Amino acid sequence: MDRFNAAPDGAAEAALLACCGSRRWARRIAGHRPYPDLAALLAAAAEASYDLTSTDLTEALADESVVQHPPSGSQGPGTLAAHTALRAAHAAYESKFGHVFVLCLDGVPQEEVLGQVLASIRTRLGHQDEKEREVAADELRRVAQGRLAHLAATTPRGS
């Protein structure tokens, strides 16, 4: 935490943008430093995530990228068909909602990742636009929390 708290504003904001692509979110988190501990940082990040405007959310979602490689741990009979289905589901999702599919997979065992992604994307394709933006925002918040915890634990000296 000390290294993150001591990082120059520009470096802290750049690192935070790797956690969530909203510039306003990153500036807000960086601007409230120092944080006494990881729990305080994560609480501030969650609060900032809940305050994302529609424009902020659009910016953050545009910054996310689709998984280019099949989820690891996905091998065996039917895997090729599952990956083909996954690519088609991602394309359908992006076509319907105009942004990439975001899903937090923290805590999901590797052997269950592919099935979890497929099930989630199929379910979420049934959402109306407003409901899906709410779900996507919540998933983005969860993803950002995991990335932020990792960032706080690994910020190199001198950053």
Side-chain angles (χ1 to χ4, degrees):
M1 280 304 307
D2 292 336
R3 292 176 287 181
F4 174 73
N5 283 331
D9 287 343
E13 287 178 24
L16 288 164
L17 283 170
C19 299
C20 175
S22 165
R23 290 185 305 262
R24 190 169 73 88
W25 180 89
R27 282 191 303 270
R28 182 173 171 182
I29 303 304
H32 284 95
R33 292 175 302 152
Y35 294 97
D37 54 31
L38 180 59
L41 173 61
L42 293 176
E47 181 180 329
S49 294
Y50 288 120
D51 291 342
L52 291 176
T53 66
S54 179
T55 301
D56 296 332
L57 179 58
T58 297
E59 177 184 38
L61 288 169
D63 192 61
E64 291 297 312
S65 62
V66 177
V67 176
Q68 297 297 321
H69 304 288
S72 59
S74 306
Q75 299 177 7
T79 301
L80 180 58
H83 289 298
T84 300
L86 182 60
R87 283 190 297 278
H90 273 287
Y93 182 93
E94 286 186 50
S95 177
K96 180 173 181 177
F97 296 113
H99 58 81
V100 298
F101 178 74
V102 178
L103 178 66
C104 181
L105 294 167
D106 293 350
V108 176
Q110 280 303 121
E111 64 275 7
E112 296 176 19
V113 166
L114 183 58
Q116 181 67 40
V117 172
L118 280 168
S120 294
I121 202 167
R122 286 179 180 145
T123 296
R124 289 171 54 187
L125 275 167
H127 291 166
Q128 297 298 318
D129 288 350
E130 186 174 319
K131 170 66 176 172
E132 182 51 29
R133 281 195 62 90
E134 291 173 14
V135 173
D138 188 54
E139 290 296 328
L140 184 64
R141 178 190 57 77
R142 293 177 59 217
V143 166
Q145 291 277 313
R147 291 173 180 166
L148 191 53
H150 180 74
L151 170 72
T154 61
T155 302
R157 295 200 185 280
S159 293

